Each structure stands twice: as structure tokens, then as C-alpha cells.
Amino acid sequence: MSSIKPLAALLLLGAVGLQGCASQRSEESLEQAAASFQQVKNDSSVLRSAPRDVIRAGESLGRAERLSSYWGSGADVRHYAYLSQRYSEIAREHTNLVLNQERQAKLELERQRLQLALREAKLASVQQQGKWLEAQIVSLATMQSDRGLVMTLGDVLFDTGRADLKNAANRTVLKLVQFLQLNPKRTVRIEGYTDSTGAPEDNLRLSRDRAQSVADTLIDLGVDEKRIQVEGYGDQYPVEANASERGRAQNRRVEIVFSDDQGRLGAER
Amino acid sequence: MRTRPLFAALAVMALAGCAADPAPHEQLRLSEQALEQAKAVGATDEVAELKLAEAKLARARVNMASESFRDARVRAEQAELDARLAEARVLTAKSEEQIKVLQARVDRLHKQLGEQQ
């Protein structure tokens, strides 16, 4: 008996010690959960966006606190503290989402306002330019080819080596937007081409950038981006021999391929 | 003789333990649903909370098989909230991405309008 007693005492001490450690851990998780709950509870936008999650965080925390007064309930305390912590985090995350959605709605309104303003500004500038520019600058050829309806934007609408569309393209672009608004099912593929001067990879990039720049302008003016595909073909598929300056100028172009009225586009090249 | 009441008490406690923890089928269903939902909005293993949820649900299923219903319930409850947090995080991240795109659009429009004048 005398040898067993110290052992039992040791075991008892060990058990109490373990319990002590465990209750310290419970204490910590309880404190953390309480701190998180305080934060969401005192945040008016959280209360507005995720009231139910806040209430649940509070309920779980209350449960953890009640349990913490019982001996040997450490695991339960930690469990409910964990749940409370999670509810607080979910509440915070839901709030972020709601705030983002509100910001998105505002941005969307601003975008529409700016699109309208841009359309008006372009119209005004077209009226100023007068008609002679169109004939001179825009090579606007629309034809029914085996690729469907194709419209060509000439080289003069871009500065050499640059991808930005010049203001001289406004009239054409506005016509294009108007056409797409009148034909909501039609989609377009915007294809960029260059002449054979320069490195092929530079040409490929430039052709793609120019096509993208036309696409961006259409999107800015309110055309849904889902209706627009963008391709760059570099110096492939020339329409004229690259031997003369005139031929090269003809090869530098952006072509807009229209789908049929059901939105079916011809195959890519 | 002194030990008998202790045994009795232990037995009662053990029984009470069993009685208080029926098989948490409903909770497991809820947790599975929450996980499905999180995956449906695009949560992957790269979201830490989703990984946690999956691990806990798997352990809860093991606990169910060995009839440790209390452990099963605890893990399943935690897995449910882990999954819901994962879902919320993914949705927020997505909305942030959308805001970025929209903001870039608006910036571009401002720039174009500036050039136009």
C-alpha cells in the first residue's frame, strides 16, 4: 500500500496539472473569441450586413463562457469558443462582400455615366471634323466575303508603331457601336494585321495590341465584352504584296469580322 | 464498499454521456452541404479553411463509424463553419477581382474623356 500511495498522488497531481494546462488553453481561446466578438459587435457595418452571424457568435461565446465554470469542460469550452470565433470571422467576411457589392454598384453607375459622356464627346468631335476626313483617313470597306461580313479599319487610324486608336476613327467606331446596338445578337472578332517590316514577334504583338485597342474602345462605349473576340495575326494574310509602300499600308489594318444575326462567327484563320 | 458509489456514479455518467450524444446524422448532412456549397462557388484546397473542413469532416466520418458520436458532432460542427468561412472568403475575393476590373474600366474611360476634350 505504501508504495502505491505516492504513485496515486503523482497521478492525481499529473491529472490536475494536465487539467491546468488544458484550462489555460481554454482560457486563451475564450479570450480570443471574446475579442473577435467585441470587434464585430461594435462595427455598425457588420451589424447591418451580417446580424445573424453576429448573434450566433454571441450565443456560442455565451455557451463557452457558461461551460468554463465547470471543471473538466475544457474541450467543450474550446469547441464553442472556436464556433464563436468562426461566426465572427464569417460575419466580417459577409460584411466585406456586402461593402464590395455596394462599391460595385456605384462603379457600375459611374461607368454608365462616363460611357454616355464619351459617346457624346465623340459625336461632337465627329461633327467638328467634317466629312472630308472620313474619305481621306478611313478606309471603310465592308464586304460579304467567305469569312462573313468584314469591315476594315485602315492603317491611318493608328500612329506608326503605336496601338492607340486615333480620334480620327471616332466616326467609324461610333457607327460600329450603333450597328452592334441595333443588332444585339451579333458578335464580332477583331483581327489585327501588320506589314512584313520588322520582327515577326513585334508585328504579332502590335497587331494584337491594335485589335485590343479597338475592342477596348467598343467596350468603353458600352458594347458587352462577351460579344468581342480579339486576335492578332502579325504579318500573316497580307492583302497586297509587301513590296511597295502602298501595299504595306494596305496590309497594316484591323479587320472586324461580324457574326451572322444569330451570333455565329466564321471560323478563325 | 467505499468504491461502489464511485463506480455507480461513473456508470451513470457514462450512460448520460451516451444519452446526450445520439448519432449526429443531421449535422453531418449540414456539414457536407456547406462543403458542397463552398466548392460550388469555387473554393479549392488552396483555401486553408476548406482544407480544414475536409479534414475534419473526414475524421467525423471515422468517428461515426466507431460510434464516437460526441467527437463526430464536434468535428462536423467545426467543419461546417470552416466550410462556410471558406465560401465567404472566396466570394469576397471574387468581388474584389470584379471591382478591380470595373475600376480599370472607369479609369480608362476617365482617361479617354480627358483626351477627347
Side-chain angles (χ1 to χ4, degrees):
Chain A
M1 275 303 257
S2 58
S3 65
I4 289 172
K5 253 188 192 162
L7 188 65
L10 259 176
L11 275 174
L12 189 65
L13 270 175
V16 168
L18 277 174
Q19 187 60 39
C21 282
S23 73
Q24 198 188 343
R25 276 200 297 143
S26 316
E27 204 58 45
E28 272 170 24
S29 55
L30 202 54
E31 273 168 23
Q32 276 170 14
S36 300
F37 176 60
Q38 275 302 323
Q39 270 180 16
V40 294
K41 201 184 71 173
N42 293 331
D43 189 325
S44 62
S45 53
V46 178
L47 284 182
R48 178 172 59 92
S49 312
R52 276 187 315 180
D53 295 318
V54 177
I55 289 172
R56 284 182 189 141
E59 284 170 356
S60 303
L61 183 66
R63 217 159 159 181
E65 275 166 351
R66 278 196 304 281
L67 282 165
S68 69
S69 58
Y70 299 116
W71 194 79
S73 62
D76 282 330
V77 173
R78 284 192 297 281
H79 175 59
Y80 286 107
Y82 185 90
L83 296 188
S84 171
Q85 178 87 37
R86 278 310 196 210
Y87 275 124
S88 295
E89 287 170 304
I90 291 169
R92 170 75 55 196
E93 219 42 66
H94 280 168
T95 306
N96 289 343
L97 183 63
V98 170
L99 292 178
N100 280 353
Q101 282 165 343
E102 286 169 0
R103 215 175 129 214
Q104 241 169 303
K106 269 190 204 145
L107 276 171
E108 189 54 52
L109 274 181
E110 194 187 355
R111 182 180 170 218
Q112 285 169 10
R113 184 181 65 78
L114 289 171
Q115 278 177 349
L116 206 67
L118 185 63
R119 229 176 287 174
E120 276 166 13
K122 281 203 189 294
L123 263 177
S125 94
V126 163
Q127 278 153 9
Q128 279 166 16
Q129 275 170 35
K131 237 185 169 172
W132 63 275
L133 263 175
E134 187 186 15
Q136 203 175 11
I137 297 177
V138 184
S139 142
L140 200 165
T142 313
M143 54 178 177
Q144 192 84 41
S145 70
D146 53 347
R147 294 156 62 209
L149 211 58
V150 179
M151 177 177 165
T152 303
L153 302 183
D155 163 58
V156 276
L157 299 178
F158 297 94
D159 286 323
T160 312
R162 298 290 308 271
D164 307 319
L165 201 57
K166 288 204 266 191
N167 273 343
N170 281 349
R171 181 187 286 270
T172 316
V173 165
L174 281 171
K175 271 189 192 163
L176 199 53
V177 171
Q178 201 178 24
F179 177 80
L180 288 172
Q181 277 166 346
L182 291 173
N183 297 273
K185 279 193 173 169
R186 284 194 201 257
T187 61
V188 289
R189 181 167 58 241
I190 302 176
E191 307 175 340
Y193 300 88
T194 64
D195 59 27
S196 62
T197 323
E201 60 271 22
D202 290 342
N203 286 337
L204 201 63
R205 183 158 27 85
L206 181 61
S207 67
R208 213 200 124 77
D209 287 351
R210 285 185 167 181
Q212 185 63 53
S213 148
V214 175
D216 287 346
T217 309
L218 294 185
I219 294 167
D220 288 342
L221 290 168
V223 179
D224 187 348
E225 63 190 302
K226 291 191 203 81
R227 300 172 65 192
I228 305 174
Q229 275 181 44
V230 175
E231 289 293 335
Y233 290 108
D235 52 24
Q236 300 173 81
Y237 311 108
V239 287
E240 285 288 330
N242 276 303
S244 69
E245 174 46 40
R246 200 181 156 277
R248 286 195 290 277
Q250 299 243 318
N251 290 335
R252 297 192 293 266
R253 68 205 189 275
V254 169
E255 291 186 354
I256 295 161
V257 182
F258 293 90
S259 74
D260 65 9
D261 53 10
Q262 295 305 310
R264 286 184 295 258
L265 263 170
E268 283 169 37
R269 290 186 129 167
Chain B
M1 282 307 256
R2 273 187 61 224
T3 52
R4 221 176 251 173
L6 183 64
F7 277 129
L10 273 175
V12 167
M13 273 170 77
L15 275 174
C18 286
D21 284 294
H25 292 296
E26 178 63 12
Q27 180 56 51
L28 255 90
R29 202 183 55 77
L30 278 175
S31 309
E32 276 157 16
Q33 223 174 16
L35 249 167
E36 286 303 309
Q37 180 67 22
K39 285 181 187 164
V41 302
T44 60
D45 273 356
E46 279 164 36
V47 184
E49 286 83 5
L50 189 86
K51 237 180 161 173
L52 267 181
E54 277 183 324
K56 283 180 192 164
L57 188 62
R59 286 179 70 185
R61 287 198 185 109
V62 172
N63 292 145
M64 282 296 271
S66 61
E67 299 196 357
S68 314
F69 294 140
R70 197 193 157 280
D71 288 345
R73 178 181 54 79
V74 163
R75 283 182 180 130
E77 280 177 1
Q78 294 193 0
E80 182 196 344
L81 293 199
D82 291 343
R84 283 218 230 149
L85 183 57
E87 180 195 351
R89 286 213 202 285
V90 169
L91 289 177
T92 308
K94 276 188 181 169
S95 73
E96 254 145 42
E97 211 43 57
Q98 285 165 348
I99 282 181
K100 254 191 225 161
V101 171
L102 212 50
Q103 186 66 56
R105 287 269 156 71
V106 168
D107 290 348
R108 208 169 65 203
L109 278 165
H110 273 300
K111 189 170 156 258
Q112 289 227 30
L113 269 170
E115 283 169 6
Q116 210 54 229
Q117 258 117 52

